[in-house]
Amino acid sequence: MLTETISAPFAVSRVPPATYSVPKSKRDENRVAVSQTSIEQTDWANHVLRICTHGDQAAFAELFQHFAPRVKAFLMKSGASPTLAEECTQEVMATLWHKAHMFDPAKASVATWVFTIARNRKVDMLRRQRRPEPEDLPWGPEPEPEQADVLSRQQEAERLAKAIAALPEKQRTLVQDAYFGDLSHREIATRTGLPLGTIKSRLRLALDRLRHEMKGVNE
Amino acid sequence: MTVHHQISDEYLTDYAAGNLAEAFNLAVASHVSLCPESRARLDEIEAVGGAVLEHCETASMPAGSLEATLALIAAGPPAAAAPPPAGHCTVLPQPVRDYVGGDISAVRWRPVGMGVKQAILSTSDEATARLLYIPAGCEMPDHGHRGLEMTLVLQGAFLDGEDRFARGDLEVADDDVSHMPVADEGEDCICLAVTEGPLKFSGLLPRLVQPFLKI
């Protein structure tokens, strides 16, 4: 593997300020050109690849600029103070560098991967608990990701983002609260005073709709 | 293997978001290990988490954060956790093996009476995880419970009312349910049972011994 490259010590130098900007798709709501989608998403997967193969600090700086403020916001919503959230965000981003060789673009988008790393840090930070993970599948990750799978993950992420934005207000708020925060859906019911059944059906409706979109099924 | 009783999306979302107690995380991770459909749903639910992160509000990082992070990186990765116990176990999925510290032969069973044995696994104390061994055809003591309960079958099967739960199946019970699971004939049943708060046995004897058994 490429772990030698990754863990090799290097001088910490002033990294030029990142000038990265994500190309914004201005297509209509439902139809996104594949090329446009792939430019936006491949980029992050490619950044991770550059970190993995070349220990590329410029690629890391751009990833940091994009994701660190999101991870910090996520950790603060979960109850961390700004200082603690900043400290943990640095650790999350360092983990991203150290585990770059484990990222599988055929399985998940970079945003999803970052989310799972930040989530694990949150469990450790707030609950001071181990987090049991499912057993690895016996056949393991593919050595070379299938390009078709990589592309479909990218399209999925794009569709998903649009679908979340299009959710009815109450469902969208609940989805955000379910992922961002430190309450389970039962605790959300207790906290908001809404019946548990209402919380469940709202969350399920939202997830069904998002799943439907992810699979690219047209109504 | 087909798993008939799968975890619901709501609890899978709580797991994906990191909002369950450790003992429930253990039950969910173990169920997902045995149920490919739940694993696929977990992947989808984590993808939603990624999309929420991508489009959430941001909180700016102070100047110098990137440099501090690069210094962290240069210091090398944190010490790796001990590798999981080697080998394969046809009863315990990997997450449970990690807590037992080995395969099924390493479980330190304690008799609870009427042939039933249990082994409490060490987790944070918001909820309790235990392995239960119930001889084929035996009843679990009749119990209601406070809060949430998840029961994952690892060997054999149990019947609860109209439903039969076999390996990989997860029974989730919410508040105020009193039920009487019975191990199915044929094979002794081994389950991972996770409860929020202590069980309330309704029989007199189990209630007396409850404080001593930590159940």
Side-chain angles (χ1 to χ4, degrees), chain B residues 69-119:
Chain B
T69 305
L70 289 169
L72 262 185
I73 290 167
H88 184 69
C89 177
T90 52
V91 180
L92 306 183
Q94 186 66 51
V96 179
R97 289 207 295 282
D98 290 345
Y99 278 75
V100 166
D103 63 15
I104 188 72
S105 65
V107 177
R108 295 165 64 191
W109 295 108
R110 300 269 188 273
V112 196
M114 295 177 288
V116 177
K117 296 184 287 185
Q118 73 164 7

Side-chain angles (χ1 to χ4, degrees), chain A residues 163-173 209:
Chain A
I164 290 175
L167 284 177
E169 175 68 27
K170 284 176 179 172
Q171 287 179 28
R172 188 171 66 248
T173 306
R209 189 178 292 208

